[in-house]
């Protein structure tokens, strides 16, 4: 393995860092479900840990009690397990609240931090150390209201780097914390807690996505303030990699939560999202997704990936493994003049991909074909059913239109004639189309998902879910739940529910996206 990150780490090793001291972490805030962007981050971190044979922690950044939720913690643990990444242990920033508080007091004493009072929309800086310590303690034990006092680092109010403009370290929040309960009335900000947690955990290389690049001077500033060789002589190093953005959907927990709050999606497993649970519920395997991420590679520039690339990747992997079904979305009925009424011919089909091993479907006097596989007017470029065209019905007879009955210019009935195999010259058959018996078929409900964002990821596609009923061949009665199936000439669908003899599928992708 050789990339810009290993180059940095190898350089640190050459400059004296012991390989035994290399350590990584994956630091999600438990405020939502993991998504494709996290898979990239996980992949990078865990591949490095494997490469250097080093420890790697799963660290929950549970600093803001307003955002975090136990169900997200559990889900994140489950997702990482499903992906197959193995961490050394789980840690929580809330376990470091005491130490962070102690260090903050140290900064006040060193005059590297100060209290700011907010009163009647005015702010007052408190420069006296004793007074600051006194107020800080009172903030901690709940003597003041929210938004009355904050603790700020004293760096440079004029810096062009916003994050160095005396950033907030602590604010008062009255909310019971998942783990520390009501012990604290103040909570550390991300910037104050994150790097210090790296330092506490002896993380050598702190990998994060590119949006944290501007935080880096602050990250280093804080570490330099608290650095103490006796505690830990390794200063963690922040390294940024590109953030993965996927077109037509969103790779940020916060943005995903907004979609949920706006009720555009009902839950975080919605197939229109790129959360890990959404992938799982669509039947994507973890191996395929990780390999896709691998194929994108590392870089520092932003990764803007077209969602079709992911779909194409998954499709290539499953195309030869998914059984095919005959399904008609928009039916038109054909009547076969040379097939006996009330009769059924059972057709044995050795199925695509050997699963199920074979199936039997009925051919009857009336059948449905797809509306757009038929054209009334002859058109020499139209290779499907139209006057004079021989067309093969998949797995079955060759067919040709015999007569069309019209009434007030509307087509009333389409009569066709069927021909046995070998009776029509091969080169005369224009195409093969799908069909189902109009008498014996399976009722299917399809959740027809479309992309949730239009391509630029700015405008939400509010009509991105339709539920439709379609007709499937009766072999569907014997298929297995939680599998992907290919609807002949249409696309890939995931079978997720059966209820009252209705088979429920969700759309994965059409054949030619
Ligand atoms: P939020 O929107 O709440 O910030 P997030 O989706 O950015 O959530 P975090 O919990 O902030 O998720 O991120 C956890 C880790 O995953 C961080 O190290 C972050 O850099 C990385 N990460 C998050 N999103 C992406 C992404 N789209 N591409 C690459 N890495 C990401
Ligand atoms: Mg983030």
């Amino acid at each position: 393995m050789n990339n810009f990150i290993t180059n940095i780490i190898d350089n640190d090793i050459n400059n004296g860092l012991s390989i035994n001291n290399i350590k990584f972490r994956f630091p999600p805030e438990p405020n939502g479900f993991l998504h494709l962007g996290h898979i990239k981050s996980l992949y990078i971190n865990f591949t490095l840990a494997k490469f250097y044979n080093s420890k790697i922690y799963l660290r929950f950044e549970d600093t803001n009690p307003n955002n975090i939720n136990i169900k997200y913690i559990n889900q994140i643990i489950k997702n990482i397990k499903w992906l197959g990444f193995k961490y050394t242990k789980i840690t929580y920033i809330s376990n470091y609240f005491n130490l962070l508080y102690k260090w903050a007091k140290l900064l006040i004493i060193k005059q590297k931090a100060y209290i700011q009072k907010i009163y009647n929309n005015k702010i007052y800086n408190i420069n006296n150390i004793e007074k600051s310590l006194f107020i800080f303690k009172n903030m901690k034990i709940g003597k003041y209201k929210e938004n009355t006092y904050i603790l700020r680092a004293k760096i440079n109010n004029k810096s062009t780097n916003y994050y160095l403009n005396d950033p907030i370290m602590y604010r008062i929040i009255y909310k019971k914390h998942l783990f520390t309960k009501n012990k604290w009335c103040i909570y550390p900000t991300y910037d104050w807690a994150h790097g210090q947690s790296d330092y506490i955990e002896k993380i050598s290389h702190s990998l994060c996505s590119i949006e944290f690049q501007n935080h880096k001077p602050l990250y280093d500033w804080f570490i330099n303030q608290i650095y103490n060789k006796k505690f830990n002589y390794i200063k963690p190093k922040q390294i940024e990699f590109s953030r993965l953005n996927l077109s037509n959907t969103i790779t940020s927990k916060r943005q995903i939560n907004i979609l949920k709050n706006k009720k555009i999606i009902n839950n975080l497993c919605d197939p229109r999202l790129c959360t890990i649970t959404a992938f799982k519920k669509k039947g994507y395997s973890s191996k395929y997704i990780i390999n896709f991420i691998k194929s994108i590679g590392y870089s520092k520039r932003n990764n803007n990936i077209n969602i079709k690339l992911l779909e194409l990747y998954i499709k290539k992997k499953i195309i030869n493994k998914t059984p095919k079904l005959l399904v008609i979305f928009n039916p038109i009925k054909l009547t076969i003049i040379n097939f006996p009424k009330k009769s059924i011919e059972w057709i044995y089909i050795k199925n695509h991909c050997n699963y199920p091993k074979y199936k039997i479907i009925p051919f009857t006097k009336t059948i449905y074909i797809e509306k757009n596989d038929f054209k009334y007017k002859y058109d020499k470029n139209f290779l499907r059913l139209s006057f004079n065209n021989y067309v093969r019905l998949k797995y079955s007879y060759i067919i040709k239109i015999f007569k069309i009955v019209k009434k007030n210019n509307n087509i009333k009935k389409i009569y066709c004639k069927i021909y046995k195999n070998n009776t029509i010259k091969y080169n005369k058959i224009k195409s093969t189309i799908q069909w189902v018996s109009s008498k014996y078929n399976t009722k299917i409900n399809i959740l027809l998902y479309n992309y949730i964002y239009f391509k630029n990821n700015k405008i939400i596609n509010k009509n991105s879910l339709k539920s439709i009923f379609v007709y499937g061949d009766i072999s569907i009665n014997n298929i297995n739940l939680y599998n992907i199936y290919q609807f002949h000439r249409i696309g890939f669908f995931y079978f997720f529910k059966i209820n009252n003899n209705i088979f429920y599928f969700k759309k994965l992708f059409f054949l030619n996206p």
Side-chain angles (χ1 to χ4, degrees):
M1 190 162 72
N2 189 352
N3 54 51
F4 78 95
I5 302 176
T6 57
N7 288 345
I8 296 173
I9 298 175
D10 291 345
N11 196 37
D12 289 338
I13 295 171
N14 290 336
N15 287 327
L17 175 71
S18 159
I19 194 154
N20 297 327
N21 287 330
I22 294 176
K23 200 192 272 180
F24 305 98
R25 88 286 171 271
F26 175 71
E29 183 182 4
N31 64 337
F33 283 15
L34 298 185
H35 50 67
L36 193 67
H38 294 115
I39 303 183
K40 174 176 175 172
S41 177
L42 283 160
Y43 173 75
I44 291 178
N45 277 292
F46 280 84
T47 330
L48 286 167
K50 199 164 185 187
F51 182 69
Y52 290 102
N53 196 15
S54 60
K55 289 184 177 156
I56 174 160
Y57 295 167
L58 167 59
R59 184 209 299 152
F60 286 106
E61 307 232 320
D62 54 347
T63 51
N64 188 339
N66 287 318
N67 296 348
I68 62 176
N69 193 313
I70 187 74
K71 76 170 185 229
Y72 297 139
I73 293 182
N74 292 336
Q75 190 62 43
I76 288 171
I77 292 172
K78 236 163 106 179
N79 286 164
I80 296 178
K81 196 168 171 195
W82 183 73
L83 290 168
F85 294 121
K86 298 203 169 60
Y87 42 80
T88 319
K89 68 170 175 179
I90 296 178
T91 63
Y92 297 87
I93 289 190
S94 57
N95 278 336
Y96 314 139
F97 279 175
N98 278 332
L99 193 51
L100 290 169
Y101 177 73
K102 195 180 119 190
W103 282 338
K105 282 196 295 188
L106 218 67
L107 258 64
I108 296 175
I109 294 166
K110 291 204 304 185
Q111 293 200 297
K112 294 290 184 187
Y114 62 94
I115 298 282
Q116 195 167 65
K117 181 177 176 173
I118 302 109
Y119 185 72
N120 275 345
N121 288 328
K122 289 203 182 87
I123 49 175
Y124 307 92
N125 294 345
I126 291 155
N127 293 316
N128 180 294
I129 295 174
E130 294 304 315
K131 202 171 166 192
S132 289
L133 287 172
F134 177 76
I135 294 172
F136 191 43
K137 188 176 163 208
N138 283 339
M139 283 166 69
K140 179 193 167 217
I141 59 177
K143 287 259 163 99
Y144 312 120
K145 288 195 182 125
E146 282 188 8
N147 304 316
T148 52
Y149 291 97
I150 49 178
L151 182 73
R152 283 185 180 276
K154 193 173 190 168
I155 310 178
N156 178 2
N157 249 334
K158 307 230 156 44
S159 172
T160 49
N161 181 332
Y162 163 83
Y163 295 99
L164 295 178
N165 296 160
D166 290 7
I168 300 174
M169 292 171 67
Y170 277 95
R171 66 270 202 234
I172 301 171
I173 300 175
Y174 288 107
K175 170 92 192 203
K176 187 174 175 185
H177 187 280
L178 194 57
F179 300 116
T180 60
K181 308 292 179 205
N182 293 319
K183 180 175 173 198
W184 297 86
C185 304
I186 52 170
Y187 289 92
T189 53
Y190 166 85
D191 280 310
W192 170 240
H194 178 79
Q196 287 35 258
S197 299
D198 284 340
Y199 183 61
I200 294 167
E201 292 180 348
K202 299 186 165 53
I203 303 301
S204 59
H205 296 88
S206 174
L207 307 177
C208 59
S209 38
I210 201 82
E211 74 269 23
F212 294 104
Q213 197 162 32
N214 294 338
H215 296 244
K216 191 176 173 146
L218 176 59
Y219 182 99
D220 291 339
W221 188 90
F222 274 138
I223 296 283
N224 284 331
Q225 300 311 312
I226 58 162
Y227 183 68
N228 178 343
K229 261 198 180 112
K230 270 190 244 153
F231 181 83
N232 168 16
Y233 75 93
I234 294 169
K235 282 188 189 174
K237 184 180 266 181
Q238 176 177 309
I239 304 172
E240 305 90 14
F241 57 82
S242 66
R243 197 174 167 86
L244 182 139
N245 302 314
L246 198 61
S247 75
N248 306 90
T249 185
I250 203 81
T251 48
S252 152
K253 285 195 263 92
R254 250 167 303 179
Q255 298 296 325
I256 291 173
N257 284 337
I258 292 173
L259 289 178
K260 191 169 157 236
N261 295 339
K262 283 189 180 168
K263 299 216 163 27
I264 289 163
I265 52 167
N266 284 330
N267 55 53
L268 302 177
C269 316
D270 189 287
R272 288 165 290 183
L273 301 176
C274 62
T275 57
I276 296 175
T277 36
F279 288 147
K280 202 175 150 190
K281 290 208 163 193
K282 289 200 287 192
Y284 286 21
S285 84
S286 54
K287 196 176 96 196
Y288 296 158
I289 310 168
I290 293 171
N291 283 339
F292 173 72
I293 291 294
K294 199 167 162 180
S295 73
I296 294 171
Y298 295 28
S299 80
K300 227 174 152 127
R301 275 189 325 178
N302 253 357
N303 269 158
N304 294 318
I305 307 289
N306 191 319
I307 197 163
K308 298 214 162 98
L309 219 63
L310 170 66
E311 295 187 348
L312 209 66
Y313 189 90
I314 304 283
K315 204 156 82 183
K316 268 195 203 148
K317 298 284 176 191
I318 61 175
I319 199 157
N320 292 318
K321 295 182 186 165
T322 48
K324 277 188 182 172
L325 303 170
L326 294 174
V327 177
I328 300 297
F329 274 49
N330 298 299
I332 51 161
K333 201 174 191 175
L334 308 182
T335 306
I336 316 294
I337 55 157
N338 56 341
F339 193 86
K341 222 178 172 177
K342 287 188 182 161
S343 169
I344 303 174
E345 182 181 323
W346 294 98
I347 302 173
Y348 283 75
I349 303 158
K350 200 170 174 306
N351 201 15
H352 187 62
C353 313
N354 294 329
Y355 175 78
K357 286 232 165 23
Y358 63 88
K359 62 182 184 182
I360 310 168
I361 56 170
F363 189 85
T364 52
K365 190 168 182 68
T366 51
I367 61 170
Y368 290 140
I369 65 162
E370 206 58 71
K371 214 174 221 159
N372 59 12
D373 280 340
F374 164 79
K375 208 169 197 177
Y376 179 69
K377 281 204 179 113
Y378 181 74
D379 167 355
K380 74 174 181 355
N381 295 321
F382 187 73
L383 301 180
R384 288 163 277 162
L385 195 65
S386 128
F387 275 110
N388 294 324
N389 276 0
Y390 288 102
V391 167
R392 179 181 296 286
L393 295 170
K394 181 80 180 170
Y395 307 125
S396 180
Y397 292 105
I398 298 149
I399 192 169
K400 197 174 142 191
I401 294 173
F402 179 74
K403 189 170 83 178
I404 293 179
V405 177
K406 285 177 107 185
K407 199 175 171 186
N408 303 333
N409 233 8
N410 290 326
I411 293 176
K412 278 289 162 212
K413 246 180 173 177
I414 305 167
Y415 290 103
C416 293
K417 207 169 164 183
I418 49 172
Y419 303 83
K420 285 209 166 124
N421 251 339
N422 304 325
T423 58
I424 305 296
K425 265 200 182 146
Y426 184 72
N427 60 3
K428 280 199 163 172
I429 304 167
K430 303 281 186 205
S431 63
T432 301
I433 62 172
Q434 68 268 37
W435 61 279
V436 297
S437 159
S438 73
K439 229 172 157 186
Y440 305 102
N441 51 53
T442 313
K443 198 169 185 188
I444 295 178
N445 176 272
I446 297 180
L447 295 181
L448 212 52
Y449 289 101
N450 207 333
Y451 299 128
I452 200 156
Y453 278 90
F454 294 108
K455 196 162 178 232
N456 62 10
N457 281 22
K458 294 230 160 57
I459 304 165
I460 295 174
N461 178 1
K462 289 199 174 132
N463 296 316
S464 50
L465 173 58
K466 263 195 247 164
S467 163
I468 59 168
F469 285 95
V470 302
Y471 302 89
D473 75 56
I474 63 159
S475 76
I476 291 170
N477 287 301
N478 299 320
I479 64 173
N480 286 349
L481 258 175
Y482 312 125
N483 270 309
I484 297 173
Y485 291 88
Q486 194 183 145
F487 294 178
H488 191 62
R489 291 177 64 225
I490 299 177
F492 294 84
F493 297 80
Y494 182 69
F495 174 35
F496 69 98
K497 187 168 97 178
I498 173 167
N499 193 9
N500 283 334
N501 272 332
I502 301 173
F503 290 71
Y504 290 82
F505 285 77
K506 39 184 126 166
K507 179 199 146 203
L508 293 189
F509 17 82
F510 287 123
L511 270 176
N512 296 307

